[in-house]
């Protein structure tokens, strides 16, 4: 263990000596210059970004803040963000043993009755219910019940 510490300090001393020799050749050398060059490899933490004041959702917007509307510039930033939409026919829980026994032709019982509406999920959050329709030989979903934005916010809390 002591040998390792001696090797590390010897390596540091050799590096310092090399820098001192290089600075001496350049004409100006001091211990401060050597220390500065040795510490160049040490990353310095980036300056902290200024923090904006947080506002509660229930508070009214400040008078000098821009109003956000459907046609406002602030909403344009998020309108092109892609989201994942999925339709859930139903779900069930099975053991790994039964999962490994599944093969072509197996039937998995779901927790929904035939004819019940499907769940429409956006990024895993329920936003609507719908029924399966066929349009131009492709499956689609006709939304029958859309959950209001206030109810969606309540579910997030």
């Amino acid at each position: 263990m002591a040998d390792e510490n001696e090797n590390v300090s010897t390596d540091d001393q050799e590096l310092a000596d090399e820098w001192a020799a290089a600075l001496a050749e350049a004409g100006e050398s001091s211990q401060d210059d050597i220390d500065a060059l040795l510490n160049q490899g040490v990353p310095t933490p980036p300056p902290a970004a200024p923090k904006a004041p947080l506002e509660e959702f229930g508070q009214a917007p400040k008078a000098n803040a821009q109003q956000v509307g459907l046609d406002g510039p602030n909403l344009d930033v998020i309108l092109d963000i892609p989201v994942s939409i999925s339709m859930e026919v139903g779900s069930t829980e099975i053991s790994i043993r039964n999962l490994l026994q599944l093969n072509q032709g197996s039937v998995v019982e779901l927790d929904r009755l035939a004819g019940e509406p499907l769940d429409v999920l956006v990024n895993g959050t329920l936003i609507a219910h719908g029924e399966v329709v066929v349009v131009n030989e492709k499956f689609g979903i006709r939304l029958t019940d859309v959950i209001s934005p206030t109810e969606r916010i309540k579910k997030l809390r």
Side-chain angles (χ1 to χ4, degrees), residues 17-121:
D17 292 342
E18 287 178 27
W19 278 108
L23 288 172
E25 288 177 11
E28 296 179 21
S29 66
S30 69
Q31 187 61 38
D32 293 335
D33 294 337
I34 295 171
D35 292 338
L37 287 172
L38 284 175
N39 291 330
Q40 276 183 340
V42 178
T44 58
K51 294 185 179 183
L54 297 177
E55 295 182 22
E56 293 294 323
F57 283 111
Q59 294 177 346
K62 294 182 180 175
N64 61 357
Q66 286 184 338
Q67 295 293 324
V68 178
L70 290 178
D71 56 343
N74 293 341
L75 191 58
D76 289 339
V77 175
I78 64 169
L79 288 178
D80 293 327
I81 295 175
V83 294
S84 175
I85 185 168
S86 60
M87 289 48 160
E88 188 175 282
V89 176
S91 62
T92 191
E93 289 186 16
I94 62 173
S95 66
I96 293 176
R97 173 177 286 108
N98 292 342
L99 177 67
L100 293 173
Q101 292 173 352
L102 293 177
N103 55 31
Q104 189 172 359
S106 295
V107 176
V108 177
E109 184 180 350
L110 300 176
D111 61 352
R112 300 261 173 109
L113 298 173
E116 264 192 85
L118 282 65
D119 291 339
V120 179
L121 307 165

